Amino acid sequence: MTFNAQLLSTPFIDPVGLSVCEGQQVQFNIGTSVGAQYQWQVSIAGGNNFTDLSNTAPYSGVDAANLNIANAVFNLSNAIYRCVITGICNNPLYSDTALLVVAPDAIVTKQPSNQKACLGEFVSFEANAGLNVDFQWQVSRDG
């Protein structure tokens, strides 16, 4: 009697959390395995409840090893993603979760105003563009 066994490997990699700026493209990847079926899910409840995603904007590849998010918007920030893998041994398999952080576009909320000063007087300019924004002041001498 001959016995043949086939080892079904699961060469999955867990998706990695990402921090991106608003408007950027995002891709989560878990690797592939022969015969596997994929369903990406999202949780906006801190990872307590997950909902299946569908291939509607901004998502594509919700049934593939690579989930794509086109034009990440700020309201996706702190969403948690995972993939459910079926079609191989130990169904279903769940990937680890990956947190998406989307930083909002910087918007100048306070413009500097013109100042007049006499020679030797101190002049101060102020601008504001929200949190976590670096400023680089520039001067123009040609108008």
Side-chain angles (χ1 to χ4, degrees):
M1 173 185 263
T2 303
F3 178 74
N4 293 320
Q6 180 181 7
L7 178 61
L8 296 175
S9 64
T10 55
F12 297 108
I13 55 174
D14 287 314
V16 176
L18 298 169
S19 293
V20 299
C21 292
E22 196 168 21
Q24 283 187 302
Q25 304 288 326
V26 174
Q27 185 178 80
F28 292 110
N29 181 358
I30 60 162
T32 60
S33 184
V34 175
Q37 288 118 31
Y38 308 93
Q39 177 60 60
W40 284 91
Q41 298 179 324
V42 65
S43 172
I44 55 172
N48 293 323
N49 300 307
F50 282 86
T51 304
D52 288 351
L53 292 172
S54 61
N55 282 317
T56 56
Y59 300 108
S60 63
V62 302
D63 55 358
N66 297 320
L67 172 66
N68 297 296
I69 303 172
N71 192 23
V73 292
F74 182 68
N75 67 354
L76 292 178
S77 194
N78 296 316
I80 300 171
Y81 295 89
R82 75 175 182 191
C83 189
V84 181
I85 302 115
T86 57
I88 55 175
C89 297
N90 300 320
N91 286 325
L93 298 172
Y94 295 90
S95 72
D96 280 349
T97 59
L99 175 67
L100 177 62
V101 176
V102 180
D105 277 342
I107 299 172
V108 177
T109 57
K110 181 176 183 180
Q111 296 282 355
S113 59
N114 294 333
Q115 301 289 324
K116 291 184 181 184
C118 294
L119 186 62
E121 286 185 333
F122 179 76
V123 176
S124 176
F125 295 95
E126 183 179 349
N128 194 346
L131 301 173
N132 300 320
V133 176
D134 293 326
F135 289 91
Q136 174 63 55
W137 289 94
Q138 297 178 332
V139 64
S140 173
R141 297 183 191 272
D142 62 4

